[in-house]
Amino acid sequence: MKRILITGGAGFIGSHLCKRLLNEGNYVICLDNFFTGRRENIEQLLSNPNFELIEHDIIDPLDVNIDEIYNLACPASPPHYQFDPIKTMKTSVLGIINMLELAQKNNAKILQASTSEVYGDPKVHPQVENYWGNVNPIGIRSCYDEGKRCAETLMTDYRRQKKLDTKIVRIFNTYGPNMTPDDGRVVSNFILQALQGEDITIYGNGTQTRSFCYVDDLVEGLIKMMESDFAGPVNLGNPAERTILDFAKLILEFTGSKSKIVYKPLPSDDPTKRQPDITLAKTKLDWEPKVDIYDGLKQTVIYFEQLLNKK
Ligand code: NAD
Ligand code: UDP
């Protein structure tokens, strides 16, 4: 039985990863400071004797015995990571140093949840791992983008200098049940607006693109990466790219909602295009997304409907 630490385990992606790794017979330690994570996400796991919850902030050092670390702790939606940008940067930078030191002490493998945001507003499309990106160092998204870039640097330097077994995955937009309803991301906003008959808020003219991956596919990719001999970085995402306007129409059609589309100002530095090139993940991990957008949206809409019914 492996002892696996998942930081950010009470968050959206982390909660799915905790459940999956528990079901596979591991001992799972979920660490979270509950900044954006929610107890409801892990409620069903708390009675499992192989599950442990540690309320802790990764900017402070930690001492536990573990074989593997998945470092997911970091607010991921723009309104959340921009709420306290200095703290966001500390979470990425001090957090990864603490986790790398812990990995070294335990001789453990460590996987860092990096992001497509390391490519910034990309000039190369679709994004390949050897593209260095186009990131504004002083913009409103920089606390997140540059924090994640710095964490990648630290991962790589600990690998080179201290011979740690490190793995970097660059996650593209992911969606599914357990997303935080008020996190301001496009998937949660559009679905909740459609279900409640509120206006669908498109930022800008809606021509910007994103590529949405269902959370089960993503979790499969994270586990395959941890089990591989590959250090990465590797893109994990669904290459099916769509404009935000098309996505709004898809949500309207899917939910049968009569909501109107309205246009709001585009936040600064909002990337114009985003689509992963997943050739590397296919070759090195034998991974590609399998869940169709309609199946993924079905699960996600059911989840948000249940949340609204509880209100
Ligand atoms: P989330 O906000 O739902 O989860 C993040 C979790 O980390 C939360 O439970 C939060 O409470 C916890 N956390 C934040 N700061 C912490 C700290 N200092 N100490 C301890 N815990 C802390 O976000 P998510 O969508 O599940 O994202 C998980 C990871 O994946 C993040 O690192 C994010 O950057 C990365 N990622 C996500 C996406 C996506 O589309 N969801 C895309 C790219 C990268
Ligand atoms: N967006 C939008 N309406 C919303 C929320 C987001 O048009 O209510 C846009 C946002 O400006 C961006 C895209 O949708 O262009 C994806 O936003 P999200 O915050 O989900 O993720 P990220 O920008 O980090 O990829």
Side-chain angles (χ1 to χ4, degrees):
M1 186 187 259
K2 277 188 289 192
R3 290 176 59 88
I4 304 179
L5 174 67
I6 302 174
T7 77
F12 159 48
I13 298 173
S15 57
H16 287 272
L17 184 62
C18 285
K19 192 171 171 190
R20 167 88 190 260
L21 289 171
L22 262 181
N23 286 343
E24 288 181 359
N26 300 289
Y27 187 87
V28 171
I29 303 168
C30 165
L31 176 153
D32 212 292
N33 71 349
F34 289 97
F35 173 50
T36 53
R38 293 174 315 137
R39 201 166 278 272
E40 301 96 277
N41 287 345
I42 50 162
E43 200 80 64
Q44 293 168 325
L45 312 180
L46 290 169
S47 58
N48 189 318
N50 295 327
F51 184 76
E52 188 179 329
L53 171 65
I54 303 180
E55 276 199 56
H56 181 85
D57 196 307
I58 57 160
I59 73 169
D60 299 317
L62 175 80
D63 194 7
V64 281
N65 293 327
I66 33 88
D67 302 301
E68 292 177 355
I69 304 171
Y70 288 84
N71 187 42
L72 271 61
C74 186
S77 87
H80 285 159
Y81 68 64
Q82 288 161 12
F83 172 75
D84 184 350
I86 298 170
K87 177 65 194 274
T88 300
M89 186 59 108
K90 283 184 183 169
T91 294
S92 279
V93 179
L94 299 178
I96 194 66
I97 292 174
N98 286 328
M99 290 308 114
L100 284 161
E101 290 292 327
L102 182 66
Q104 186 177 15
K105 190 171 172 202
N106 284 271
N107 198 19
K109 291 198 266 187
I110 176 166
L111 179 148
Q112 164 66 359
S114 190
T115 166
S116 52
E117 286 285 319
V118 298
Y119 303 121
D121 190 7
K123 303 282 183 217
V124 168
H125 193 74
Q127 290 76 60
V128 276
E129 288 84 349
N130 60 13
Y131 174 50
W132 291 355
N134 175 39
V135 178
N136 177 0
I138 55 167
I140 57 169
R141 295 175 85 102
S142 312
C143 60
Y144 183 72
D145 301 7
E146 298 288 23
K148 290 283 187 179
R149 285 169 69 95
C150 181
E152 286 201 10
T153 308
L154 283 160
M155 287 281 286
T156 312
D157 283 333
Y158 269 77
R159 181 176 187 85
R160 276 192 289 251
Q161 200 177 326
K162 307 209 179 198
K163 312 293 174 223
L164 253 63
D165 192 352
T166 60
K167 281 138 197 324
I168 299 170
V169 295
R170 293 183 179 152
I171 303 171
F172 284 64
N173 296 65
T174 304
Y175 72 101
N178 293 5
M179 290 186 92
T180 311
D182 62 353
D183 75 357
R185 279 188 267 196
V186 71
V187 177
S188 40
N189 275 7
F190 284 6
I191 293 178
L192 282 169
Q193 289 162 346
L195 292 178
Q196 296 176 104
E198 294 169 0
D199 293 347
I200 305 276
T201 54
I202 290 190
Y203 303 159
N205 59 13
T207 54
Q208 71 271 36
T209 68
R210 293 294 186 273
S211 310
F212 299 101
C213 183
Y214 189 63
V215 65
D216 288 356
D217 282 331
L218 195 264
V219 164
E220 175 74 16
L222 296 178
I223 293 172
K224 282 198 159 180
M225 182 63 172
M226 186 63 102
E227 286 169 357
S228 78
D229 295 329
F230 188 49
V234 66
N235 291 337
L236 291 181
N238 191 319
E241 183 187 16
R242 33 176 65 79
T243 66
I244 292 302
L245 177 58
D246 283 344
F247 188 61
K249 290 179 181 162
L250 174 67
I251 298 294
L252 285 175
E253 175 208 310
F254 193 81
T255 55
S257 167
K258 299 271 176 293
S259 288
K260 280 200 324 286
I261 290 180
V262 298
Y263 293 86
K264 303 258 177 186
L266 186 69
S268 63
D269 294 345
D270 200 281
T272 47
K273 283 180 178 181
R274 192 180 286 153
Q275 182 191 30
D277 180 318
I278 59 163
T279 312
L280 201 57
K282 281 184 184 164
T283 340
K284 297 281 186 186
L285 309 178
D286 189 25
W287 175 87
E288 64 181 313
K290 302 227 158 39
V291 180
D292 170 82
I293 187 87
Y294 290 98
D295 294 336
L297 281 180
K298 187 172 172 202
Q299 298 308 318
T300 314
V301 168
I302 291 173
Y303 160 76
F304 281 116
E305 277 172 342
Q306 283 168 349
L307 281 191
L308 289 175
N309 287 339
K310 276 190 207 154
K311 262 191 181 174

